Amino acid sequence: MGKEQSPQVNRRTTRSSSSTTPNSKATGEGSKIISNTKSLTVNDLVLSDESINLEELINSFPHRRMQILELIKLLGPLNSPMIPLFVYGGASTGKTSTVLEIFKHLNRPFIYSSCVTCYNPRILFESILNQLLLHRKNESNGYSSAKRCEKPSDFVNLLRDALSTLIDSLKGDLGKSNSKKSASQVNGKMIYLIFDNLEHVREWDKSSNMLPFLFNLYDILKMPEVGVIFISKTSLDTYHSDTGYVEPFPVYFPDYTEGDLRQIFLKNQSNPKLYSSFLDAVLGPFCRITRRVDDVTNAISPLYKKYCELLDDTGVIPNKDMKSELYRHINPYISQSLKETFHVPSQPTLEASASKDKTKRKGITKLGVSESFDKMDFHMSTCAKYLLISAFLASRNPATLDASLFDSTGGAGNQKRKRKSSGKSMEQKESKEQELLMKGPGTFPLERLLAIFQCITSVAEYSPDDEDPQIDGQGADGWDSGLMSDVLLQLSSLCSSNFITKGGSCPLEGAIRYRSAVSEDMALKVARSLKFPLSKYLYRT
Amino acid sequence: MGLKSLAEQAQILLRSRLCNPNFIFSIFSNSPDSNYSKLKYMISSSVTEACNNSVLLLGPRGCGKVPVLELVLEDLLKEYPDMISVIKLNGFLHSDHNCALKEISRQLCLEHQLLFSKMASFDDNAQFMVSMLRECGLAHKTILFILDEFDLFAQGKQLLLYSLLDAMQSVTSQAVVIGISCRLDADQLLEKRVRSRFSHRKLLFLPPSREDLQRLLEHILLLPTNSSFPHEYVAAFNDKLLKIFTDDKFKETVDSLTYCDSTVNHLLRFLFSAVSHMDLKSGLLSLENFKGALSTIQRQPKVEALKDCSILELYILVCMKRLEAKEQELRNFNSIMKEYKSIHDTFPTSDYYARNVCLRAFEHLLQRELISFEDNRGHGQSTEFRPVKLLISWPELYQGLKSYHSCPLILHKIMDREG
């Protein structure tokens, strides 16, 4: 997927990859010993050895010129203090990569932590302190952090100490080596803290304390040599707080327009004219659905392969006739692809689709999708399958119908002849049923589930079952009692794998209620694999 | 070199001023009835007369409570060098009783060059604090407790407040408790026994008036004449700036800035943006800098989010609005799909997409916070069944659709019909 992907998506290099490469280049001993044993220096706080100039930076992020210049102006000249910044915008608009590349260009030291990988306060605090104290987790220290820090009060004290030592060392370096400035030397004596993915902090346990604390961190520290930058997917007004907080300065990254996307995709193409005629055909329909770069990339890259099928030589520049021919060829695949949800196919399905092409199915094969829609693609025990179907029925049908649907003979109750109802009441019934469907699956207590399960399984053993030949030999009682003991175990494993969800207990009844979480398609698949007539039991007028 | 680095130096000077609140608020310390002088008088009289005292500094965020206090402390430490020791606590960090006592002990140890042990238990710290208070009282040394975010200390059982104020009741101790809070009713939050030990002194910090604002602007932005900058440059800079201040458009800009938020912090952010965009070739600030800064600081996030939406997402929003207009109780993804289908049955278009594509667009809208789930409890149900609500108002939606560059006409028709 190399060239066609837009540069934003794979631009970010991790800190460890960029800091181990200079090590392996410098120590040419070729030792297989892990080069992590070399201790970190301040130089490792900068993104990488090579620096890029402003023109390269702007060219590598098309249509972000305004935002890049704004950020550089707000960061200001070397060693000038800064108020906290808040960079926000939709997903995959290039916020993180732009900010990191700007720091690469300016060669200033920064500490980066993402609130996705640091998913609670302790990990966040320890990650920041590790980076500041130039501590790396490795075998010798048992992969532990430099300092143990759980509470914000400890964090602020340790942070202050770590920042002052680091800033002193930066000032010392600056004084010493003013004469020889190598490219990898860090610039300036300010340190910047970058908090990425801030919107996840809202869902943390102590978020009502944590968010105002992070926003007020700059004021609490009172150190002008520190700059704070927040990156978030949502704007500042979605961060609610009881008593407010110090507001950082907002910088907005808008989504790309269709023209912007076009330019992004045309970058680094081997044959721009061909690709541009491809984009003429394809980009319009997809941009009506979404303009996110990652979604559109994943959707159109398989289409491009299809587009170039007719051409023997992909380096050719198409003329008008060729363009219209290619457009006719690709058109049906576009409408096919629009029905899917831009998912990235995993490797097995790619191979399966290749084998499907060989079998020459009639009609248009779906690109990259090969699941057969009538079979289950994972294995479940018979008892679990019956339990799942019972849960689905219990959620789907109202409780009052149980008596008529599952009578004592165990079969679907003989459909009594209904009185012919007038057209209007039929409509009302239908609309009520639709409402019930739209509201979603209902809850049921454990006893109802077990009752339905009993009814269904007592029917099943009378029907010929060619899956498990042993069952034919056993009597009805033996099968039942053998099954009952681990039904509750199966139920708990279904709950923990989220096929059935456990709700809170109703205050009146006091028992726990369950809810089925499978869709109708899934239930039909399961029923089909058991040869169970599901449709007979579903509540339908 | 020459003018460019001069402009950079000026920019660095102005930026450091803007990031240093103590400098900003030093201008308000001159007049005799300002908060600065009142606070200074109160603390110095407690120190000289060796009595206990407590005061609350209240006011909206960004009005200078902490900087004014710091200025007072600076001056007092110069006047009475050995008679004051300062303990600073913050409600975000130390609202827990254990943390607070640990921090108090740590700061006391630091100040008096004692060894602080992290392993000290809660009782040890409490005893240490009480004995320190007694010792300092005997040595005629006043301890100032500064409690930032005071309302957070008043949550829960208020143990720290009680123990502090109770310790102050004894004859031997000399302590002043200064609480800082942005809640104007912070003293109402106190328990009865705490409130009875608290002297009801309050100092109110308010956003500056128009004249004060003008003085503040001049104080911040005018370059000092006796600095290392060459005289002509300083004169040119200050002249241009004073001309801008008298310009009507500038006054309009500042007015519209202070309409929504008149605190000093808001003004500082505005000035920071203006100073950062200073033209480095000429080295002078211009009116365009200020106007540009206003537009960057006044943002309309929902309108921006609406402009970022794709056409399918706009359809979903309009369907939700129709459901609201019809006053349907059940508004979840399934009912939106039903509405979407009915729109396309009446006006057939090419924009009818499959259910899973629409679900994905629905999730994008949830991420952008243009719609949200109505309750937080329903985690058991999947996204399709949970009820949702619109987070954007009808006029905003209407305006957004009107200004959307390629909005389908159907949506305009529907919105017009709904009115």
Side-chain angles (χ1 to χ4, degrees):
Chain A
M1 280 258 183
K3 279 192 216 158
E4 296 166 32
Q5 244 183 0
S6 68
Q8 275 90 315
V9 186
N10 56 359
R11 175 60 62 152
R12 192 187 324 172
T13 56
T14 60
R15 190 68 54 75
S16 58
S17 68
S18 60
S19 57
T20 46
T21 35
N23 280 344
S24 55
K25 267 194 252 167
T27 65
E29 285 130 16
S31 50
K32 293 255 184 66
I33 307 171
I34 312 162
S35 52
N36 293 350
T37 49
K38 190 162 176 176
S39 60
L40 295 171
T41 64
V42 180
N43 288 342
D44 295 300
L45 286 179
V46 178
L47 196 56
S48 85
D49 274 347
E50 336 94 44
S51 63
I52 55 182
N53 63 11
L54 189 59
E55 280 314 308
E56 273 178 35
L57 178 63
I58 293 184
N59 286 340
S60 58
F61 291 101
H63 291 283
R64 284 287 175 239
R65 190 197 167 82
M66 223 177 71
Q67 282 78 29
I68 292 180
L69 291 176
E70 168 100 10
L71 274 174
I72 291 185
K73 286 214 169 90
L74 286 170
L75 285 172
L78 211 55
N79 301 333
S80 70
M82 185 185 84
I83 55 176
L85 297 183
F86 186 82
V87 177
Y88 71 101
S92 88
T93 45
K95 306 179 288 292
T96 310
S97 22
T98 310
V99 169
L100 291 179
E101 285 295 305
I102 288 179
F103 274 97
K104 188 170 161 184
H105 158 70
L106 294 173
N107 233 350
R108 297 192 198 175
F110 64 93
I111 305 287
Y112 174 86
S113 51
S114 161
C115 298
V116 167
T117 48
C118 306
Y119 52 87
N120 66 21
R122 184 175 86 96
I123 301 183
L124 180 66
F125 295 155
E126 288 184 4
S127 145
I128 295 178
L129 286 173
N130 283 348
Q131 291 180 59
L132 276 175
L133 295 170
L134 305 173
H135 168 90
R136 206 206 293 261
K137 292 190 192 182
N138 52 23
E139 261 188 278
S140 56
N141 53 34
Y143 297 102
S144 65
S145 316
K147 303 262 181 201
R148 192 185 154 75
C149 176
E150 264 195 45
K151 303 215 171 93
S153 51
D154 298 331
F155 176 60
V156 169
N157 291 337
L158 292 169
L159 187 65
R160 242 191 221 124
D161 294 336
L163 280 170
S164 354
T165 40
L166 202 58
I167 290 172
D168 288 338
S169 75
L170 279 175
K171 284 189 190 151
D173 279 347
L174 210 62
K176 263 192 288 178
S177 59
N178 243 336
S179 47
K180 39 178 174 105
K181 244 190 177 206
S182 54
S184 67
Q185 199 75 12
V186 302
N187 271 352
K189 44 183 169 61
M190 277 189 69
I191 301 205
Y192 298 88
L193 300 173
I194 303 182
F195 293 90
D196 200 357
N197 300 117
L198 199 68
E199 71 274 0
H200 289 269
V201 180
R202 294 179 299 173
E203 279 126 38
W204 287 0
D205 272 341
K206 303 202 190 73
S207 66
S208 58
N209 220 14
M210 199 55 199
L211 268 180
F213 166 63
L214 283 178
F215 281 127
N216 285 359
L217 189 63
Y218 182 69
D219 281 351
I220 294 176
L221 281 178
K222 288 200 181 45
M223 296 174 80
E225 296 99 351
V226 177
V228 182
I229 301 177
F230 301 103
I231 306 182
S232 155
K233 284 209 186 78
T234 57
S235 55
L236 206 55
D237 58 337
T238 57
Y239 291 85
H240 306 292
S241 158
D242 287 339
T243 51
Y245 42 78
V246 176
E247 283 199 7
F249 190 84
V251 179
Y252 177 54
F253 272 64
D255 266 10
Y256 295 107
T257 63
E258 197 176 319
D260 298 346
L261 280 179
R262 215 194 150 77
Q263 277 205 348
I264 290 175
F265 288 132
L266 279 178
K267 247 172 93 74
N268 296 337
Q269 282 299 327
S270 51
N271 187 352
K273 293 249 169 42
L274 178 65
Y275 204 74
S276 126
S277 65
F278 167 66
L279 287 179
D280 286 336
V282 157
L283 203 57
F286 280 102
C287 281
R288 287 178 86 86
I289 300 183
T290 175
R291 294 202 307 266
R292 271 171 65 160
V293 176
D294 45 357
D295 282 345
V296 181
T297 319
N298 289 332
I300 68 178
S301 36
L303 280 176
Y304 186 57
K305 292 199 188 76
K306 262 275 170 305
Y307 190 72
C308 298
E309 262 178 5
L310 291 184
L311 299 168
D312 310 313
D313 161 34
T314 50
V316 67
I317 297 180
N319 53 11
K320 201 153 185 273
D321 298 328
M322 208 191 294
K323 274 192 207 174
S324 40
E325 194 190 318
L326 287 170
Y327 178 71
R328 271 195 307 265
H329 170 74
I330 196 77
N331 214 3
Y333 293 100
I334 298 180
S335 38
Q336 187 78 353
S337 180
L338 277 176
K339 291 207 189 83
E340 293 158 19
T341 45
F342 312 133
H343 65 278
V344 183
S346 52
Q347 279 305 100
T349 52
L350 279 175
E351 290 160 13
S353 68
S355 62
K356 245 212 278 188
D357 283 334
K358 288 186 199 149
T359 58
K360 286 202 174 80
R361 269 174 70 167
K362 257 209 165 162
I364 302 169
T365 56
K366 288 199 182 152
L367 298 165
V369 174
S370 74
E371 309 131 37
S372 47
F373 282 122
D374 42 2
K375 274 206 264 189
M376 280 176 64
D377 43 3
F378 57 91
H379 183 264
M380 271 168 78
S381 63
T382 318
C383 174
K385 285 185 189 170
Y386 276 115
L387 207 54
L388 195 59
I389 295 177
S390 329
F392 177 72
L393 287 173
S395 276
R396 175 72 179 269
N397 302 337
T400 46
L401 284 183
D402 279 353
S404 54
L405 278 179
F406 308 100
D407 59 7
S408 54
T409 60
N414 37 352
Q415 308 275 3
K416 298 197 194 119
R417 287 204 51 193
K418 295 201 194 91
R419 219 175 9 171
K420 250 199 158 186
S421 21
S422 65
K424 192 162 180 211
S425 64
M426 285 282 283
E427 265 185 43
Q428 274 184 2
K429 263 197 187 172
E430 251 190 56
S431 61
K432 258 205 226 158
E433 175 205 296
Q434 287 283 334
E435 283 250 0
L436 214 64
L437 265 181
M438 289 206 303
K439 239 191 229 165
T443 55
F444 51 85
L446 182 61
E447 295 80 25
R448 188 172 163 217
L449 174 68
L450 292 178
I452 298 182
F453 178 74
Q454 281 266 23
C455 284
I456 294 181
T457 49
S458 60
V459 173
E461 69 194 28
Y462 289 127
S463 54
D465 200 6
D466 45 342
E467 249 189 65
D468 297 18
Q470 301 107 305
I471 294 187
D472 289 334
Q474 288 177 9
D477 297 339
W479 200 63
D480 256 349
S481 60
L483 221 46
M484 260 315 164
S485 58
D486 66 351
V487 160
L488 295 177
L489 277 178
Q490 292 279 8
L491 179 63
S492 68
S493 47
L494 281 178
C495 282
S496 47
S497 25
N498 276 336
F499 285 111
I500 300 179
T501 53
K502 224 167 155 179
S505 49
C506 168
L508 289 177
E509 290 182 35
I512 303 179
R513 295 184 77 88
Y514 297 85
R515 197 198 295 264
S516 148
V518 294
S519 62
E520 191 168 338
D521 293 335
M522 174 75 182
L524 282 171
K525 272 197 228 177
V526 173
R528 216 171 287 141
S529 73
L530 288 173
K531 297 194 175 51
F532 178 79
L534 187 64
S535 44
K536 271 202 268 174
Y537 292 88
L538 284 179
Y539 165 58
R540 276 201 188 112
T541 47
Chain B
M1 292 295 171
L3 201 58
K4 185 169 187 292
S5 80
L6 207 58
E8 260 192 33
Q9 285 175 33
Q11 201 181 47
I12 295 182
L13 174 71
L14 290 177
R15 280 169 68 119
S16 1
R17 277 185 183 177
L18 287 168
C19 296
N20 181 7
N22 291 7
F23 175 81
I24 308 281
F25 288 96
S26 56
I27 190 180
F28 292 130
S29 48
N30 296 339
S31 60
D33 61 345
S34 67
N35 282 329
Y36 169 86
S37 6
K38 286 187 204 157
L39 193 59
K40 186 166 177 192
Y41 173 72
M42 198 206 79
I43 301 183
S44 50
S45 58
S46 318
V47 171
T48 46
E49 290 166 23
C51 60
N52 294 313
N53 219 335
S54 51
V55 68
L56 272 184
L57 306 181
L58 304 175
R61 280 188 196 274
C63 284
K65 306 183 286 290
V66 172
V68 166
L69 180 63
E70 303 249 318
L71 288 169
V72 168
L73 285 178
E74 248 182 73
D75 290 343
L76 286 177
L77 282 171
K78 275 193 232 135
E79 273 183 49
Y80 312 101
D82 278 325
M83 294 175 60
I84 302 182
S85 79
V86 181
I87 309 282
K88 293 193 186 159
L89 297 176
N90 192 311
F92 288 131
L93 312 173
H94 309 125
S95 55
D96 176 34
H97 194 52
N98 294 351
C99 281
L101 275 179
K102 190 165 158 194
E103 183 67 18
I104 292 177
S105 317
R106 192 188 74 90
Q107 290 192 22
L108 281 173
C109 289
L110 204 61
E111 184 129 356
H112 297 131
Q113 277 106 26
L114 301 167
L115 229 54
F116 174 68
S117 156
K118 283 187 214 156
M119 294 299 132
S121 74
F122 167 73
D123 285 329
D124 293 340
N125 286 337
Q127 273 184 8
F128 176 65
M129 182 180 92
V130 169
S131 46
M132 276 303 279
L133 275 173
R134 199 175 45 235
E135 288 302 320
C136 286
L138 290 173
H140 290 294
K141 195 163 175 168
T142 315
I143 302 188
L144 292 177
F145 289 96
I146 300 178
L147 303 176
D148 214 346
E149 313 289 338
F150 186 74
D151 45 298
L152 291 175
F153 285 109
Q155 284 173 357
K157 289 211 198 123
Q158 303 181 7
L159 288 171
L160 176 71
L161 291 177
Y162 180 69
S163 44
L164 273 182
L165 291 172
D166 200 35
M168 276 166 46
Q169 301 289 47
S170 68
V171 179
T172 51
S173 72
Q174 268 175 246
V176 181
V177 172
I178 304 170
I180 306 174
S181 174
C182 60
R183 282 183 70 158
L184 297 177
D185 62 343
D187 55 337
Q188 307 294 327
L189 298 168
L190 298 173
E191 276 177 13
K192 183 166 165 293
R193 60 176 185 170
V194 178
R195 199 184 315 165
S196 57
R197 288 175 172 77
F198 189 77
S199 84
H200 290 263
R201 281 204 190 85
K202 288 192 267 195
L203 282 180
L204 206 54
F205 285 75
L206 293 173
S209 61
R210 267 236 181 118
E211 300 77 28
D212 284 341
L213 207 60
Q214 188 67 17
R215 275 172 58 207
L216 193 62
L217 282 172
E218 289 175 12
H219 173 69
I220 298 174
L221 289 177
L222 292 179
L223 288 179
T225 42
N226 53 351
S227 65
S228 57
F229 292 104
H231 189 70
E232 322 82 47
Y233 174 62
V234 172
F237 189 89
N238 291 352
D239 282 340
K240 178 140 194 231
L241 212 53
L242 289 170
K243 234 183 356 178
I244 295 179
F245 287 162
T246 53
D247 193 342
D248 274 338
K249 292 214 192 82
F250 178 76
K251 292 196 186 133
E252 258 180 53
T253 311
V254 172
D255 276 346
S256 67
L257 183 75
T258 50
Y259 276 158
C260 56
D261 188 348
S262 55
T263 53
V264 176
N265 254 0
H266 197 64
L267 180 72
L268 291 181
R269 279 180 288 143
F270 164 71
L271 292 177
F272 186 84
S273 173
V275 165
S276 309
H277 287 87
M278 183 166 89
D279 179 21
L280 287 173
K281 282 208 227 35
S282 64
L284 304 170
L285 281 170
S286 67
L287 191 58
E288 279 68 36
N289 292 140
F290 293 104
K291 281 205 221 155
L294 184 69
S295 57
T296 50
I297 206 172
Q298 285 186 337
R299 300 212 146 264
Q300 294 182 297
K302 294 281 186 254
V303 172
E304 289 169 344
L306 205 55
K307 225 187 287 181
D308 281 345
C309 279
S310 66
I311 295 184
L312 177 58
E313 291 163 15
L314 289 180
Y315 265 99
I316 294 181
L317 287 174
V318 170
C319 290
M320 271 211 74
K321 195 210 171 243
R322 280 188 91 183
L323 286 178
E324 266 187 27
K326 286 188 198 166
E327 289 182 16
Q328 260 207 16
E329 302 141 4
L330 180 66
R331 289 197 289 268
N332 59 13
F333 179 68
N334 285 334
S335 46
I336 293 176
M337 281 294 103
K338 191 160 153 218
E339 188 66 32
Y340 181 59
K341 186 163 185 305
S342 74
I343 290 183
H344 279 281
D345 288 337
T346 40
F347 315 99
T349 56
S350 64
D351 276 325
Y352 190 58
Y353 298 108
R355 189 188 164 91
N356 48 0
V357 178
C358 295
L359 186 58
R360 186 115 169 147
F362 186 74
E363 285 170 1
H364 286 341
L365 280 176
L366 282 170
Q367 262 186 9
R368 284 193 219 275
E369 303 255 339
L370 284 171
I371 58 181
S372 80
F373 290 123
E374 274 200 27
D375 53 356
N376 281 332
R377 297 179 290 112
H379 280 300
Q381 289 191 310
S382 64
T383 335
E384 308 165 316
F385 300 116
R386 286 170 72 178
V388 291
K389 61 180 181 211
L390 265 182
L391 289 179
I392 183 172
S393 62
W394 295 7
E396 276 179 325
L397 187 57
Y398 192 63
Q399 283 300 83
L401 283 179
K402 272 238 152 21
S403 55
Y404 197 84
H405 60 97
S406 55
C407 179
L409 290 171
I410 298 169
L411 292 179
H412 283 308
K413 258 198 277 183
I414 297 176
M415 287 299 286
D416 286 334
R417 214 187 279 179
E418 301 295 337

